Amino acid sequence: MVETIDAGAHRYVGAAFTVVDSGAIRVHRERCAKVRNRNVDCLKCAAACTSGCLSLDDGELVIDASKCVGCGTCATVCPTCALESLNPSDAELKVACLRAARGDEVVIVCSQMEAALGDLLVPGVAASVICAGRVDESLLAGLAAEGVGCVTVLCGDCERCAQRHGRDTAELVAETARQVLGAWGNELEIVVTDVPPVGVLADGVDTGAVEAARDAHFAQEPACPPVREAEEFLTGSSVEADALRRPAHSLHVMKDGTLPHFIPDRRERLLDALAQLGEPASGKLETRLWGAVVIDGTKCVSCRMCATFCPTGAIAKFDDADGTLGVAHTPGDCVKCGSCGDVCPAGAITLLDAVPVSWLTDGSRHRYVMTPRPVSLTDNPHQILDTFRLDFNGDIFER
């Protein structure tokens, strides 16, 4: 259901994300933590959106598809990969980076810096993205596994750029990648800068010429001209109508009472790249990528809602033959979306930021044995519902 606010703008009601599904961004709405359960707080996409396509208005997510430039920053921050970048795809971007590599050095340039420098750049020495926020940890780890020693993300004057949030995302990704790769003993140098590295500028171009070109470009009104090729991906009326006509993915409950699980492709590619780098060192990682769930048994009511709504299956139900029931947590599959804590009715879940590296590589699985919720013998308007909960091992829940 979509409520039209004005021409091209839509309020997020349930699963309205399909309006941005286009040639630049693919929407997998069944993966979205917020779509799976409205009580989940995650709105990272809106906080990171560089163009105003996704924004918050009194706690509601407002989608103005006409503003989407296909930069992919929303896909970078989405923990469940409900948003997927297609312009270029992850595989295409990696190929472009390796093709443009100079020795073991790779340069990735945002479209605004590319437009500002123009002929000052040597053709073919940098992979191009619409926004620096498009770069994610799986790409950097993949380049490290290919033997790349330095990645420079060349980003424009973000204070005067319409994609200003992209720099923050690029910096966050760079720091996360440094920590993760460092745990695997890899020393990939990652630099986010507005200063072109040696070798990407044409002969005779000095610092003064670069600064003059950059100032002239970002002094324009509007500061950010239309992004190259963006017209192909703007979700105008015809594309928007097609998107709304496409059937939405169904969120059918599975036999165990949980919603479907999946492991994001980016997470699998990241772990594959890390495996190519060898064995990790000991210690803990504290990043945006993984979390460790702790359940307080004194508060838990055995409803197992955490497993019902966990998008990746990092929290999964178990029902043993001897009648033992509970949930098992696999930190290596956790994407730190926070769904478990947000849907827990008893506030029994804590999501730890620091995760032992060994838990990510050895398939560590932690079991939490639970007791079925007791049926009240007093005058209780919820007694029938509680009885069903007991019979179905806690798999009945209220909306």
Side-chain angles (χ1 to χ4, degrees):
M1 177 180 179
V2 176
E3 175 189 349
T4 300
I5 301 175
D6 52 40
H10 299 83
R11 186 171 296 278
Y12 179 77
V13 181
F17 256 138
T18 50
V19 298
V20 295
D21 198 1
S22 66
I25 302 292
R26 178 172 295 151
V27 178
H28 303 277
R29 58 171 290 266
E30 74 280 5
R31 299 180 180 180
C32 176
K34 192 76 170 177
V35 169
R36 292 166 70 90
N37 189 302
R38 65 180 180 271
N39 295 313
V40 174
D41 288 337
C42 181
L43 284 173
K44 293 180 176 68
C45 54
C49 179
T50 67
S51 65
C53 169
L54 307 174
S55 60
L56 291 174
D57 181 9
D58 292 330
E60 296 285 348
L61 179 60
V62 177
I63 303 177
D64 186 345
S66 67
K67 293 182 179 179
C68 180
V69 296
C71 68
T73 303
C74 58
T76 297
V77 301
C78 178
T80 64
C81 290
L83 300 167
E84 178 186 2
S85 296
L86 301 177
N87 178 36
S89 69
D90 287 352
E92 290 169 341
L93 181 54
K94 181 180 177 181
V95 169
C97 288
L98 294 174
R99 185 181 296 130
R102 297 173 295 117
D104 69 344
E105 298 183 9
V106 166
V107 176
I108 303 171
V109 60
C110 80
S111 60
Q112 295 309 310
M113 181 61 95
E114 187 178 36
L117 297 179
D119 294 339
L120 303 183
L121 281 177
V122 176
V125 298
S128 180
V129 292
I130 290 177
C131 178
R134 170 66 178 80
V135 177
D136 81 295
E137 292 89 352
S138 69
L139 171 65
L140 296 173
L143 293 175
E146 294 287 345
V148 173
C150 178
V151 175
T152 298
V153 180
L154 190 54
C155 190
D157 187 342
C158 291
E159 290 303 315
R160 293 187 287 174
C161 175
Q163 275 78 54
R164 60 180 55 88
H165 297 311
R167 179 68 174 262
D168 294 337
T169 300
E171 295 279 11
L172 172 64
V173 166
E175 180 56 30
T176 301
R178 292 187 195 104
Q179 293 182 44
V180 173
L181 291 171
W184 264 259
N186 183 272
E187 298 181 354
L188 176 68
E189 183 181 1
I190 308 167
V191 181
V192 181
T193 181
D194 58 2
V195 179
V198 176
V200 302
L201 297 176
D203 291 340
V205 176
D206 58 18
T207 303
V210 170
E211 292 179 352
R214 189 172 58 212
D215 289 345
H217 176 77
F218 288 103
Q220 299 178 51
E221 288 293 340
C224 177
V227 177
R228 61 176 167 72
E229 300 181 355
E231 292 78 9
E232 294 180 31
F233 308 110
L234 292 180
T235 314
S237 57
S238 61
V239 179
E240 177 182 308
D242 290 341
L244 293 176
R245 282 195 294 269
R246 283 197 294 270
H249 291 285
S250 176
L251 285 173
H252 294 301
V253 176
M254 299 190 296
K255 290 183 179 180
D256 67 350
T258 67
L259 294 180
H261 309 305
F262 58 90
I263 300 295
D265 292 341
R266 277 183 169 176
R267 181 55 56 88
E268 291 187 339
R269 286 195 296 271
L270 173 60
L271 292 174
D272 287 345
L274 294 175
Q276 292 181 52
L277 295 174
E279 293 297 321
S282 59
K284 294 184 178 182
L285 278 175
E286 187 172 342
T287 71
R288 75 185 188 98
L289 297 178
W290 291 283
V293 170
V294 175
I295 300 178
D296 185 344
T298 64
K299 296 180 180 179
C300 178
V301 294
S302 307
C303 67
R304 300 199 285 186
M305 289 297 97
C306 51
T308 296
F309 293 103
C310 178
T312 66
I315 303 178
K317 298 179 182 180
F318 65 80
D319 294 273
D320 295 342
D322 63 0
T324 303
L325 63 88
V327 299
H329 173 53
T330 306
D333 292 339
C334 178
V335 294
K336 209 173 183 179
C337 66
S339 295
C340 52
D342 290 340
V343 303
C344 179
I349 291 179
T350 299
L351 186 60
L352 301 180
D353 293 323
V355 182
V357 177
S358 60
W359 290 2
L360 308 179
T361 58
D362 63 10
S364 294
R365 204 161 185 255
H366 310 144
R367 281 167 56 100
Y368 289 91
V369 176
M370 297 177 176
T371 302
R373 185 170 178 170
V375 177
S376 173
L377 298 179
T378 61
D379 184 14
N380 181 358
H382 295 289
Q383 183 167 354
I384 295 177
L385 183 59
D386 284 346
T387 302
F388 274 110
R389 282 197 178 100
L390 183 59
D391 291 341
F392 287 91
N393 292 330
D395 292 340
I396 302 298
F397 56 94
E398 301 169 87
R399 290 189 176 276

